[in-house]
Amino acid sequence: MTAAALPTSRPRSRTPETRGYLMCPPRFFEVTYAINPWMDPSKPVDADLAMAQWRELRDTYVRLGHTVAEIEPQQGLPDMVFAANSGTVIGGRVLGARFRAPERQAEADLYRRWFIENGFSDVTMPSEINEGEGDLTWTGDVLLAGTGFRTDPAAHTEAQEVFGVPVVSLRLVDPRYYHLDTALMVLTPARDGQPAEVAYFPGAFSEGSRRVLERMFPDAILAGPDDAAVLGLNGVSDGRNVVLPAQATKLAEQVSDRGYEPVMVDMSELRKAGGGPKCCTLELRG
């Protein structure tokens, strides 16, 4: 099992940025409950394969020049592997998580302690239901905030107060795309007066939210339902290299046509719990 960059002819140059990520090994990964449509406790899960796929993702980040920190997993918290839900980090400031499902609520304090023990002195724990980067996506100048299934709308206001940045609310309407990061990813953040570049699946959003996205990102990549159905939008980009689920082949062609380098990883076992590359990856923006 390898991660391979697809050959592409780039219409313009893309420059990768070194990123810092937090990940959690799926040592205790299993599917024993269902809190999203992807989870089916009656279907077997191969824990060894899940670990191998996770390691391939981690090693891919390292190979691309990024830094990966790890938090120790805890038995009885099989979804702790999905580190993106543990908080949001912008400019070294942390807004922690408060999970909707009782099965995940103990994760929040474990991650809070990790932040404090690893040099993050400005940590705020939310009073509203807030599932971290699962529903909060930083574009470089605006925080896109998802709601509809997990994060409460009131958490969007709370995030704005913590980070002091503009927040744009987006409503998700398809339960398969229960978090914003399953339906939208930032390819290049806004900088130097240039807008962010994003990819998203229109079918995941309400009509009004689609109109908002069209106004904000008129040149966005629009993913099709086949790629969305393999969590293709749950990718991670460093501005050049875009780490995508191996099955998202059409989306890989689309990002390649824009000058990015698709890097494909197989996350099929972790997808049994509704996760992909981004779900496993929290960006530590210093």
Side-chain angles (χ1 to χ4, degrees):
M1 179 172 42
T2 59
L6 298 184
T8 179
S9 58
R10 300 179 190 85
R12 53 184 175 270
S13 176
R14 300 286 183 181
T15 303
E17 294 183 349
T18 302
R19 306 287 174 87
Y21 298 129
L22 175 61
M23 301 181 70
C24 181
R27 192 170 303 134
F28 305 109
F29 180 71
E30 56 184 353
V31 177
T32 56
Y33 52 80
I35 58 174
N36 66 56
W38 303 86
M39 305 177 83
D40 184 349
S42 69
K43 293 183 179 180
V45 170
D46 187 331
D48 291 337
L49 179 57
M51 179 64 81
Q53 292 179 346
W54 180 89
R55 285 176 176 151
E56 180 67 17
L57 177 64
R58 179 200 60 191
D59 294 348
T60 295
Y61 291 144
V62 173
R63 177 174 60 81
L64 293 172
H66 306 304
T67 301
V68 178
E70 295 183 23
I71 184 173
E72 187 68 18
Q74 297 294 315
Q75 192 165 16
L77 296 175
D79 284 346
M80 195 172 168
V81 61
F82 301 128
N85 306 148
S86 68
T88 306
V89 185
I90 301 175
R93 180 172 291 173
V94 180
L95 176 60
R98 184 179 179 191
F99 290 91
R100 182 170 297 279
E103 293 89 345
R104 298 198 65 182
Q105 289 173 359
E107 297 176 35
D109 192 59
L110 294 172
Y111 276 100
R112 180 194 64 82
R113 283 188 276 169
W114 185 93
F115 288 124
I116 292 172
E117 291 168 1
N118 285 271
F120 291 87
S121 58
D122 191 346
V123 179
T124 300
M125 296 306 289
S127 58
E128 308 293 340
I129 300 297
N130 177 336
E131 299 204 353
E133 280 197 338
D135 276 322
L136 299 179
T137 299
W138 178 236
T139 70
D141 58 359
V142 172
L143 190 64
L144 302 178
T147 190
F149 299 101
R150 296 293 184 83
T151 297
D152 284 339
H156 300 177
T157 301
E158 192 171 25
Q160 181 169 277
E161 292 302 310
V162 169
F163 294 118
V165 301
V167 175
V168 175
S169 295
L170 300 169
R171 178 164 291 278
L172 300 162
V173 295
D174 186 328
R176 294 174 298 170
Y177 310 110
Y178 57 94
H179 275 151
L180 183 60
D181 71 356
T182 65
L184 181 149
M185 66 174 167
V186 175
L187 297 167
T188 299
R191 68 166 67 86
D192 301 327
Q194 297 297 313
E197 296 185 12
V198 308
Y200 67 92
F201 173 52
F205 297 92
S206 69
E207 182 181 351
S209 294
R210 289 198 300 271
R211 293 201 303 268
V212 169
L213 289 169
E214 289 166 3
R215 288 175 65 91
M216 292 184 68
F217 308 108
D219 296 323
I221 291 175
L222 303 182
D226 290 345
D227 286 317
V230 293
L231 292 180
L233 276 302
N234 195 245
V236 177
S237 174
D238 63 14
R240 178 188 177 192
N241 304 290
V242 184
V243 180
L244 296 172
Q247 296 78 16
T249 54
K250 293 179 182 177
L251 181 58
E253 293 175 2
Q254 288 177 283
V255 300
S256 178
D257 288 344
R258 296 289 184 97
Y260 296 95
E261 188 78 24
V263 182
M264 313 305 282
V265 294
D266 186 5
M267 303 295 290
S268 55
E269 202 63 21
L270 289 159
R271 192 165 65 244
K272 291 179 179 180
K278 176 56 189 170
C279 285
C280 295
T281 312
L282 176 69
E283 186 169 346
L284 303 173
R285 302 177 185 87

